[in-house]
Amino acid sequence: MIDQFLRERNWKTIDRMILSDREGKYFSFDDLRLSVQSTTLLSGSFSTGIYLHQKEAIKSFLEGENICIATGTASGKSLPFYVAAIEKLVANPEAKVIAIYPLKALGREQEERWIQALNTAKVPARVGRIDGQTPMHARMEILRNCQVLIMTPDIIHAWLLFYVGDKSVMNFLASTSLVIVDEVHNYTGVFGSNAAYLFRRMRHIMHLLGASPQFITASATIAAPENHLQNLFGLDFQIIDSRSDTSPRQETTITLVDLPAHGDLLTSLSELMDYISRKTSHKFITFVDSRKQTEYLASIVSRFQAKDGGNEDFIYDDHLEKLNILPYRAGYEEHDRRRIQERLSEGTLAGIISTSALELGLDIPYLTLGILVGAPYSATSFYQRIGRIGRHARGEIIIINGGDIHSASIFQNPQQLLNMPLSEGALYLENARVQYIHALCLARHGGENDRICSYSGNQETAGFKSDIPWPKGFMELCKAERIGEIPPEYQAMKSQAGDDPHHAFPLRDVEIQFQVKHKKGSFEEGRGSLSYSQLMREAYPGSVYYYTTRAYRVCRVNFHRRTVDVRHEKKYTTKPQMIPTLVFPNLTAGNVYIGKKYGDLIALESTLQIRETIIGYKEHRGPNETSYMYPLDPTGNIYFDLPRFTRNFFTTGVTFTHPYMKMPKVKNELIAQLLFEAFLMALPFERRDIHFASDKHRVHRRFIDEDAKFVAIYDQTYGSLRLSSRILEDRTLDVLLEKMAGIMKLRQEELDSNVATAIALEQILACLHQSPEIISMDTAAELSGSGNHLARVILPGSKGLNLRNNNEEYFVESVFYSPQYRGLAYRGCNYEGKQRNGQDVKNIIPVASLVEIPGESSCGMYNLETGELMAVIL
C-alpha cells in the first residue's frame, strides 16, 4: 500500500535492498560453573541455551575481567548484566550493584526487568531507582534498603556525590562490587567528557573507601571501542563484539526514495506519515536531524487530524492524549516526555517523529516501519536507527533523500550505505573547562575528597593525592585549586560554582541553559529548556517556538534569569535573518596548537572567537512572508529594543588560508561547506558539534597578511572539544581528499557556474596533496611587557568580550587600579547597556574578565608605576 501511495504521488524509488534474516544459535551454559541462582534464571527463561556473545561475556566476567558487550540492537546484552549481579550478590549478600543508564526513561524501563530477573533467580535482593524525579526525602531510604540501585550519571553527579560525606552514601559506595554502564557509545562529546571524569571521581572515592568494583558495559558497535573505554573509565576492558553475536535477526527491507519533483520535504513527508497512520497497520518512527524539523513535521500532521475533528483548537486540550503522531526530542518537561514514552510503550501512537534521542535502547515493541530523513553519517547511527524496527516481526525502512551532500552521495551509490564508517567516541579529556568542573567537585577544600578523608581521619590540608590514573593536567589543576593558585580564566567559573559545583555545572552541556516559561495570569508553565545555541535557532526574540506541536511567540529573552517568556500563537513559522558568522582567529603565542604549510596553503589550528548575529526574522503565514527587523515595535508586546541579537563564544578550529581565496568572485562560503561535508563523511561526528564559516584575518601575523581570506572548520561546543583538529591528521586528510572528489562531481553544475570558485578549490586541494611543513606563528613582534610594571590592556574607546556577562561586547571608557579587585579594572558598559534608552549603563569589571577581539580590540600597555597608558602597534 505504501508503494502505491509513493507511485501515485510521484515519489521516485531509487533502490531497494534486503538485509537478510538470521536464525539464532544457542549454546549450553552448563560448563560456566554458575551459582544455583544464575542457573535457575537461565534454565527458566533460556532453556534452549544462550547466545555465544552472552556466554563469552559471562565467562570473561567470571574470570575477573572488566567487559564490554558491543553487539547489535536487540541481541540480549542485558542478560550478562543480570547474571553478573546475581553472582556478586550470591557471593556476598552485603554487596551493592550500581546500574547506570544514560536516560531516565531507560532506567525506568529496566527497573521491572531487574526485579523480574532477580525474582526468577530467587535472589532476595531489592532493586531501587533514583533519578531526578525521585523525591529527595525518599532517596536515602532507597539507598540504604536496596542492593541493586539504578541511576543516571546526572543523579550520581548532582546528588550521590554531593552527599558523599553522608554515612549511608559512604557505606553504599564502600560495599559496591559491580558497576554496570549501559549504552557507553552514547558517552561522547560534552556529556561523555564530563562522564569520564565522573567515573574516575567514583573510582577515586571507592578506592579511598576500600572498594574496587568490577565494570561491565554494553555498547553499539563503534570504532576502536578499547580506546573509547580506556578514555571513559581509565580501565582496560575485554571486548565481546559482533563476531560472536549469534542472536536471531528479522529480515529488513530498505527502500531509498526521492521526493516528488515539485514537492517540499515537510509537506510531502507529512502527507506520507498521515497516509501511513490512516491507511496501514504500521506503527512507525521517523528520524530527523533537528529539533525544529521534529516539531514542524508533527505540527503539520496534527493539522490533518484537526481538520477531521473540525476544530484545530482541540490540540491545546490534552493534545498529548489526542494526537496520533507526536514529536520526541531533548528539552521537554519531564511529565511531557514521560507521557510520550508511555504512549509509545502502550502502542497507542501510530507514529513518533524523533531526533537521535530515540536511537538509544528503549524497547518499542510495536514498531514495524522506520523512516529516515537523510542517510546517517555513520554505520553506528544507521544500525541503531533501523534497530528500533522489526524486533518481533519483519521490518521496513524508507530512507528519504534529505537533499544534503552526504545523502546525494549515498543515493548515487546505495551500496555505500552498508560500508559507512563506524562512529568514534569523541572525548577530549584535556578540555580546561571540563577539567576544572571536576577539580572543584573533587579536590576543592571541603570537596568530595576532603569529606571522605575527614570521615576516615586522614584529611589533607594542602596537597591532593590519587591512585587513579587521570588525564594530563588534571592533577596539577587539583593541586592549584588546593593552594588557591588557579589561572585567571577559571575565576568566573569558581565564582559561579560557589560551594555547589555539582549543581552549578550539569553533565550534559557546558552552555548556558534557558528555561522556556508560559505565563497564564499568575500561573507559570514550563515549556522545555534549550541551550544558547538552540536559542539562536529556535527562540530568539519574536520567533515562533514549537513545543510538542504547540506554537508559542517569544515575547522576551531574559539573560539575567536565563528564561524565555512565551505566549500562545497560531502555527506560523519563523526563520532568523542572520549576517554572516564572524570568526576571529587568535594567533598569538599560546593560542596556536599546530601550524602546517602545504605549499601556498596555510592551515592553523588555534583558539577562535565566534560571533553569530541575528538582525531580525522572516515570518511565514500561509503563502505570505513578512520580514521584521530589530529593534522590534513595542506595540506588538515583544520586548526587544536592540538592533541585533548576538552570541559570542570561544572555541577552537582549523583555518585554511590560500591566496586564491582573495580572488574576485570566489565563494569561500561554498569552499568551507564542501570541506565541512567531506570532513563529516571522513569522520562521522554529529553535525551539531562541528560547523563552518569563511572570513578574513584582521591583523598581520607571521605568514598571514591582514585581510587575507580564510575558511574555517570549528567546534560548536563552548570551550571546544577540539574535534575539528582531526582534519589535519594525515589519515583524515587522505579520506577527505577522496570524499572531496566525489562531492565535486555531485556539485559539478554549481561549480561550473562559479569558475573562480572551482579554480580556487582545485588549487587548495592540490596543495593538500603536498607534504606539509610544520610552521610556528611565534614572532618577536608580539605585544608583551618589559618588566613587572607593565600590563597588557584594552585601550579606552575600544571593546572586548565580557566573560562575566555571557561574552557580551563591553566598551572600555577607562582603565584604573581598583582596590575592590586588588588590581586593574575597566570602567565602561556592555553593548546592551550602551543602547538602553540612549544612555550608557556603567559598570566596573576586572581586567582579567575582558577578552580581546583579534583585529577589533585596540590594545596597549598600562604602566603600574605611573598609571600611563601606551598604545602599541604590532
Side-chain angles (χ1 to χ4, degrees), residues 477-584:
L477 187 57
C478 288
K479 292 172 182 176
E481 169 63 26
R482 298 287 297 181
I483 61 176
E485 293 184 355
I486 61 169
E489 59 264 30
Y490 299 124
Q491 293 290 346
M493 289 181 66
K494 187 173 180 65
S495 175
Q496 181 183 350
D499 290 327
D500 190 7
H502 297 75
H503 295 99
F505 301 112
L507 298 182
R508 303 279 171 169
D509 210 324
V510 293
E511 282 194 68
I512 297 167
Q513 295 292 302
F514 291 82
Q515 302 299 314
V516 183
K517 302 292 184 181
H518 175 234
K519 294 183 178 180
K520 297 168 65 175
S522 60
F523 184 66
E524 188 176 76
E525 298 175 309
R527 288 294 178 261
S529 61
L530 28 64
S531 65
Y532 203 157
S533 56
Q534 290 165 343
L535 185 80
M536 297 291 288
R537 296 189 292 269
E538 301 176 38
Y540 45 89
S543 65
V544 176
Y545 164 78
Y546 279 78
Y547 179 86
T548 64
T549 76
R550 302 169 73 173
Y552 298 88
R553 178 74 68 180
V554 174
C555 307
R556 185 197 301 268
V557 177
N558 189 316
F559 280 98
H560 178 69
R561 294 177 55 207
R562 307 283 192 265
T563 57
V564 179
D565 296 336
V566 299
R567 65 169 186 258
H568 276 308
E569 184 57 276
K570 292 184 178 180
K571 290 191 172 182
Y572 306 136
T573 59
T574 51
K575 181 180 181 180
Q577 295 195 65
M578 305 188 73
I579 62 175
T581 298
L582 299 182
V583 181
F584 301 90

Side-chain angles (χ1 to χ4, degrees), residues 640-689:
F640 191 70
D641 58 359
L642 300 176
R644 66 190 193 191
F645 187 74
T646 301
R647 175 192 182 218
N648 293 291
F649 66 98
F650 301 92
T651 185
T652 66
V654 176
T655 57
F656 294 95
T657 306
H658 191 279
Y660 266 82
M661 291 179 181
K662 206 171 180 180
M663 300 294 286
K665 298 183 179 180
V666 172
K667 295 186 175 180
N668 289 316
E669 183 77 5
L670 176 59
I671 295 174
Q673 181 190 3
L674 298 183
L675 285 170
F676 166 74
E677 294 289 349
F679 179 48
L680 287 188
M681 292 169 73
L683 288 173
F685 292 132
E686 293 284 349
R687 294 180 74 89
R688 64 175 177 265
D689 293 338

Side-chain angles (χ1 to χ4, degrees), residues 751-771:
L751 290 172
D752 286 344
S753 64
N754 293 277
V755 177
T757 304
I759 293 173
L761 188 55
E762 289 173 356
Q763 291 291 324
I764 292 167
L765 296 180
C767 289
L768 285 173
H769 277 98
Q770 300 180 35
S771 297

Side-chain angles (χ1 to χ4, degrees), residues 12 20-21 44 91 121 161 201 213 222 225 339 517 519 532 537 612 625 657 663 710 820 836:
K12 184 179 179 181
S20 59
D21 60 353
L161 298 190
R201 282 161 50 201
I222 59 173
R339 185 56 193 139
K517 302 292 184 181
K519 294 183 178 180
Y532 203 157
R537 296 189 292 269
E612 300 169 342
E625 180 182 271
T657 306
M663 300 294 286
F710 65 82
Q820 175 186 355
R836 186 68 64 191

